[in-house]
Amino acid sequence: GVRQADPEHVAAMLRQVLALNRLIDELYALARADVGALECRQERVDVWALAEEEAAGFGSRFAAAGLALELQPPPSNTLVVADPDRMRQVLRNLLENSLRYTSAGGRVALSARVAGRRLVLAVDDSAPGVPDDALARLGERFYRVDASRSRAGGGVGLGLALCRRLVEAQGGTLAFAHSPLKGLRVTVSLPLEAA
């Protein structure tokens, strides 16, 4: 009897339940990573193709938020050995982070390049940026940057921590820096598939 069981209230409750499920899943994955039990399949994956698919799935949400989503031309080789589901999870989290914290009228750019025997994928977003002292703490559990990149609808500070652990579990690295677009740059570096 607290709320009426009308479609609007039921939809709001469903959104909350789904958000709690995501939070539980992220905490579970982080706990498994802590004890070295994070499951990752290893198979040949075209990471750029995954990035294109995930970006296409976010297209309407970026448009609704007044953001431009740009994909730069990829290098000739974007094949790595990784878990495609885990890499999709990383890409979704990174795109969600940019969507949540980039000011309307801004843009998000995905790019990739080959550096030695590694594929380096970058997600850049425009303002607001992240203060220097916060860059080193990004990727820590439950850490959230102060009001410069926090909105009322922000998360709890697990997404980037989970991304880091998922990438590391696949032999990669995840790093944060200032973006040339005046926001945040997240760089994922993964070993290229052996020739």
Side-chain angles (χ1 to χ4, degrees), residues 83-101:
D83 183 323
D85 294 330
R86 295 296 189 185
M87 289 311 303
R88 281 188 183 91
Q89 191 175 6
V90 168
L91 292 162
R92 273 193 300 271
N93 276 347
L94 295 180
L95 289 169
E96 184 70 41
N97 192 68
S98 288
L99 176 64
R100 184 175 288 156
Y101 298 115

Side-chain angles (χ1 to χ4, degrees), residues 24-98:
I24 290 166
D25 289 345
E26 288 179 353
L27 285 168
Y28 181 66
L30 282 167
R32 291 189 59 81
D34 285 345
V35 296
L38 188 62
E39 297 170 9
C40 290
R41 294 188 330 262
Q42 297 297 303
E43 58 187 70
R44 186 176 191 240
V45 177
D46 184 338
V47 173
W48 188 255
L50 294 182
E52 289 177 323
E53 289 171 17
E54 292 302 323
F58 272 82
S60 61
R61 292 181 62 204
F62 272 80
L67 299 172
L69 179 57
E70 305 166 358
L71 275 72
Q72 306 298 322
S76 59
N77 183 9
T78 58
L79 295 174
V80 300
V81 175
D83 183 323
D85 294 330
R86 295 296 189 185
M87 289 311 303
R88 281 188 183 91
Q89 191 175 6
V90 168
L91 292 162
R92 273 193 300 271
N93 276 347
L94 295 180
L95 289 169
E96 184 70 41
N97 192 68
S98 288

Side-chain angles (χ1 to χ4, degrees), residues 73-184:
S76 59
N77 183 9
T78 58
L79 295 174
V80 300
V81 175
D83 183 323
D85 294 330
R86 295 296 189 185
M87 289 311 303
R88 281 188 183 91
Q89 191 175 6
V90 168
L91 292 162
R92 273 193 300 271
N93 276 347
L94 295 180
L95 289 169
E96 184 70 41
N97 192 68
S98 288
L99 176 64
R100 184 175 288 156
Y101 298 115
T102 304
S103 297
R107 61 190 183 122
V108 175
L110 271 69
S111 62
R113 64 184 172 81
V114 172
R117 293 294 311 146
R118 299 183 77 78
L119 177 68
V120 180
L121 179 76
V123 179
D124 285 291
D125 60 42
S126 57
V130 175
D132 290 335
D133 58 338
L135 278 177
R137 297 206 53 206
L138 286 178
E140 290 179 13
R141 277 171 224 206
F142 303 111
Y143 179 73
R144 293 195 48 187
V145 178
D146 64 7
S148 68
R149 279 183 70 92
S150 296
R151 291 191 181 155
V156 295
L158 289 177
L160 295 178
L162 180 59
C163 286
R164 174 170 274 160
R165 295 308 297 255
L166 291 174
V167 170
E168 289 172 350
Q170 298 176 85
T173 60
L174 187 138
F176 306 99
H178 296 294
S179 169
L181 301 181
K182 308 297 185 207
L184 178 67

Side-chain angles (χ1 to χ4, degrees), residues 11-34:
M13 288 187 292
L14 177 61
R15 283 192 302 275
Q16 291 300 316
V17 167
L18 293 174
L20 285 172
N21 279 340
R22 282 191 301 275
L23 178 61
I24 290 166
D25 289 345
E26 288 179 353
L27 285 168
Y28 181 66
L30 282 167
R32 291 189 59 81
D34 285 345

